[in-house]
Amino acid sequence: MRLETLAVHAGSRIDPATGAVAMPIYLSTTFERAADGSYPRGYIYTRLGNPNREALEEATAALEGGAVAMAFASGSAAAFAVLQALIPGAHVLAPKDLYHGLARMFREIATAWGLSVSFVDMADPSAVESAIRPETRLIWVETPSNPMLRITDIAQIAALAHRAGAFCICDNTLATPILQRPLALGADGVVHSATKYMGGHSDAIGGIVVLKEETPFARRMREIQTTGGAILPPFESWLILRGLQTLPYRMRAHCENAMRVAAFLAQHPAVEAVPYPGLPGHPGHAVAARQMSMFGGLVSFQVRGGQEAAFQVAERTRLFIRATSFGGPESFIEHRASIEGPGSSTPGNLLRLAIGLEHPEDLIEDLDQALRALL
Ligand SMILES: *Cc1c(COP(=O)(O)O)cnc(C)c1O
C-alpha cells in the first residue's frame, strides 16, 4: 500500500462495541481480568499497553516500514530511551549540528552514566569513519538537521555503522516518513518528535521510536518504555494518530510553500544566505534529492546586518508568529541562537522559519515588508 493509504488506514479500527469509525479514546488506566486470572482482551494496565497507543505505534511502524514502534511522552523521552538501552562504556557518535535539546542530553546526561559521546560533521563520511572507536555502539543521524538544515547521506553512514558493529539511528522529525524513509536506506531505527509534523496542530507533545527488526535491543527498549514509564498517554496518542491521517497532504503543502519562500529569500538583497536543501546551491542538495521526495518545511536564512537585523525582522513580521517548534498549520519565525543559549554555534544573524499551511504569497509578502526595513 502507498503512504497516503497507509496514513489513513494503518492503526485505525472500527470500534467493535459501537461501530464508531473514529476510534474512541480509552482513558481507562486498568482493564478487567477474567475469573481464571488471565487477561483475555490483551490489556492489563495502560502503562504496559493501551489501545490508542498501540494504534499509533502500529501506524508509525507501517509508515516507516519498521517491525516495532514505541510511543513515548515526548521526542526527547524517545531519544533518551535509545541512550538508556546502551550499556555503560559504549561510545556514541553524534552530529555537530544536532537539535539543541538532544545535544544537551548527549553532553550533560549520557556522559554522567558512563556513555562517551563525540560530535562529528556527519556530512563528511571520512570524519565519521575516523571518529569510530572499537566501543562505538551508536551513530546518531539527524537529516535535515535543525536548524542548519545540513544533509547526511543515511545509506553511507548506516554502512559505516554496520561495519563497526554499531547501530545507526536517524532522527526523522524534520522529514517525516512521507519525505524520507531511513529504514529502507539502511538505518536500524528512527526517532521522531511527534510533537512536530506528525501531530501537526501544535497541540500534542509526543515521541516515537521505530525499529527495523524485533531484536534483543528492541525488547530492551520496550522494557524501558513500559517499566521506565515515559509512555505516551491515550489522548495524545489519539491526537497524533489523527494527525498522521493527513500527514502526506500536509507535508506536500509545507514543502511547496517552503520552496517558494526559499526561492524568494535567496534573491532578496537583505538576505546573505539561505541554507535550504531544496536550492541547487546547498552543499547537500544532491544527497537530499536522492534520499528525500521533497525538501521539507523548515527554511533557515541569514540576514545582512547581524543579530540586530535578525531581531528587527522577527519583530516586524505580522503573519509569522514568534515561537519555537514547527509542524503546525501556523508559520513561525525564530531566532535560534538566543533560544539555544550559551554554547550555541548557530549564527547570530540566522532566523528559522517553520513554514505553515497559509498561502505562500501571503508569507512572502509578510517577509518582504519585514525585510524591506533593512534596506
Ligand atoms: C523538537 C525536536 C526534538 C525533541 O522533541 P520533543 O517532543 O520536544 O521532546 C528532537 N529532535 C528534533 C529534530 C526536534 O525538532
Side-chain angles (χ1 to χ4, degrees), residues 74-77 99 102 142 146 171 173-174 193-196 205-206 326:
S74 66
S76 304
Y99 168 70
L102 294 194
E142 180 182 312
N146 183 3
D171 185 333
T173 301
L174 268 68
S193 169
T195 314
K196 315 292 169 50
I205 287 195
F326 56 90

Side-chain angles (χ1 to χ4, degrees), residues 72-79 98-102 105 140 142-146 171-174 191-196 204-208 298 324-326 336 352:
F72 290 87
S74 66
S76 304
L98 173 64
Y99 168 70
H100 77 116
L102 294 194
M105 179 193 296
W140 188 275
E142 180 182 312
T143 184
S145 68
N146 183 3
D171 185 333
N172 206 26
T173 301
L174 268 68
V191 167
H192 282 281
S193 169
T195 314
K196 315 292 169 50
I205 287 195
I208 315 268
L298 288 186
T324 196
S325 198
F326 56 90
R336 287 299 295 177
R352 188 187 76 184

Side-chain angles (χ1 to χ4, degrees), residues 129-145:
E129 195 164 10
S130 52
I132 291 174
R133 302 183 196 162
E135 64 277 18
T136 303
R137 288 292 165 270
L138 172 65
I139 303 187
W140 188 275
V141 168
E142 180 182 312
T143 184
S145 68

Side-chain angles (χ1 to χ4, degrees), residues 188-211:
D188 304 285
V190 162
V191 167
H192 282 281
S193 169
T195 314
K196 315 292 169 50
Y197 293 115
M198 284 190 164
H201 294 78
S202 312
D203 57 10
I205 287 195
I208 315 268
V209 177
V210 184
L211 297 172

Side-chain angles (χ1 to χ4, degrees), residues 42-308:
Y43 299 103
I44 301 170
Y45 182 65
T46 274
R47 172 161 47 71
L48 305 176
N50 171 279
N52 296 105
R53 196 169 84 226
E54 274 182 18
L56 174 65
E57 291 172 343
E58 200 179 307
T60 46
L63 285 172
E64 287 287 7
V68 273
M70 294 156 232
F72 290 87
S74 66
S76 304
F80 203 32
V82 174
L83 295 185
Q84 284 170 321
L86 298 174
I87 305 298
H91 172 246
V92 178
L93 268 183
K96 268 189 186 147
D97 189 48
L98 173 64
Y99 168 70
H100 77 116
L102 294 194
R104 236 186 113 130
M105 179 193 296
F106 284 29
R107 258 194 327 260
E108 313 283 326
I109 306 178
T111 51
W113 80 59
L115 301 177
S116 58
V117 184
S118 331
F119 295 91
V120 290
D121 178 2
M122 283 288 162
D124 176 2
S126 65
V128 175
E129 195 164 10
S130 52
I132 291 174
R133 302 183 196 162
E135 64 277 18
T136 303
R137 288 292 165 270
L138 172 65
I139 303 187
W140 188 275
V141 168
E142 180 182 312
T143 184
S145 68
N146 183 3
M148 294 306 293
L149 307 180
R150 295 217 169 91
I151 299 296
T152 295
D153 187 326
I154 299 170
Q156 206 165 24
I157 301 300
L160 286 176
H162 296 156
R163 216 176 303 150
F167 288 113
C168 175
I169 302 277
C170 181
D171 185 333
N172 206 26
T173 301
L174 268 68
T176 80
I178 307 308
L179 308 185
Q180 169 175 287
R181 298 178 88 218
L183 302 183
L185 295 166
D188 304 285
V190 162
V191 167
H192 282 281
S193 169
T195 314
K196 315 292 169 50
Y197 293 115
M198 284 190 164
H201 294 78
S202 312
D203 57 10
I205 287 195
I208 315 268
V209 177
V210 184
L211 297 172
K212 192 177 195 163
E213 285 165 32
E214 178 73 64
T215 56
F217 185 80
R219 284 189 285 281
R220 189 168 154 82
M221 291 232 22
R222 178 69 78 189
E223 184 69 23
I224 289 167
Q225 180 205 29
T226 55
T227 306
I231 46 112
L232 191 67
F235 185 44
E236 277 72 13
S237 299
W238 185 91
L239 282 171
I240 292 167
L241 182 61
R242 172 159 95 159
L244 283 186
Q245 293 191 300
T246 54
L247 184 65
Y249 293 92
R250 288 188 288 105
M251 286 316 291
R252 221 168 279 169
H254 284 297
C255 294
E256 281 171 14
N257 287 357
M259 195 62 164
R260 285 171 72 170
V261 168
F264 162 76
L265 290 170
Q267 53 76 49
H268 201 285
V271 173
E272 193 178 277
V274 186
Y276 181 69
L279 297 175
H282 187 285
H285 178 69
V287 175
R290 199 164 64 229
Q291 70 187 14
M292 301 176 77
S293 59
M294 293 178 92
F295 299 100
L298 288 186
V299 178
S300 292
F301 70 107
Q302 293 170 253
V303 298
R304 293 192 198 283
Q307 170 147 327
E308 192 82 353

